[in-house]
Amino acid sequence: MSERRILRIEISTPQAAMEAFAQTWERLERGEAVTPVESIGFESLSEMLSTLTPRRWELIQTVKRRGPTPIGELAEPPEQDKTLGCTDVGTLVDLGILEVDDRQRVFVPWDEIDLRVPLAA
């Protein structure tokens, strides 16, 4: 059985992300085992919420439920602007939340998305 793929989406400053990278690098240089973490960082909650809109979360859930889906089939109902749907898909692909297979269908490669929002700086 394959391991579950979890994507961590978090609020983190670029400095904190670089420090975490440096710590991981140092652990690897010492020969310590490091568990890979696949993550996306946003500098603020407002940036995250403006990027991962309710419409885009709905799109993620739809694609996960349907499985690999041609992009043109994601603009529903039929009168919905397909350009907006393609823009949303493109943004989610650029972030790595969605991926495109060799038949040009989009899919969600994650079993779970873990959102982390710190309450204190």
Side-chain angles (χ1 to χ4, degrees):
M1 186 165 120
S2 64
E3 191 172 316
R4 289 177 48 85
R5 288 191 69 194
I6 300 172
L7 175 64
R8 180 187 302 168
I9 299 177
E10 59 190 342
I11 308 302
S12 177
T13 64
Q15 180 180 352
M18 290 303 293
E19 288 172 4
F21 175 80
Q23 290 172 359
T24 301
W25 187 271
E26 289 168 2
R27 289 181 61 201
L28 285 170
E29 284 185 328
R30 291 191 302 266
E32 296 177 24
V34 176
T35 303
V37 175
E38 298 177 275
S39 67
I40 299 170
F42 291 93
E43 287 190 60
S44 68
L45 180 59
S46 62
E47 180 187 14
M48 183 180 78
L49 294 175
S50 68
T51 302
L52 300 175
T53 62
R55 176 185 166 110
R56 289 179 178 159
W57 280 113
E58 194 173 302
L59 179 60
I60 293 164
Q61 291 172 324
T62 297
V63 172
K64 185 64 176 180
R65 186 177 56 253
R66 288 184 181 178
T69 306
I71 293 172
E73 291 181 17
L74 295 174
E76 290 185 9
E79 65 275 3
Q80 182 174 325
D81 185 348
K82 289 186 186 288
T83 304
L84 289 175
C86 288
T87 300
D88 289 336
V89 168
T91 297
L92 295 171
V93 168
D94 289 346
L95 287 169
I97 297 173
L98 296 180
E99 292 184 6
V100 181
D101 69 13
D102 57 350
R103 294 176 56 196
Q104 298 303 303
R105 300 174 302 171
V106 294
F107 66 98
V108 179
W110 312 104
D111 298 301
E112 182 179 327
I113 295 177
D114 177 15
L115 294 176
R116 294 178 179 218
V117 180
L119 298 176

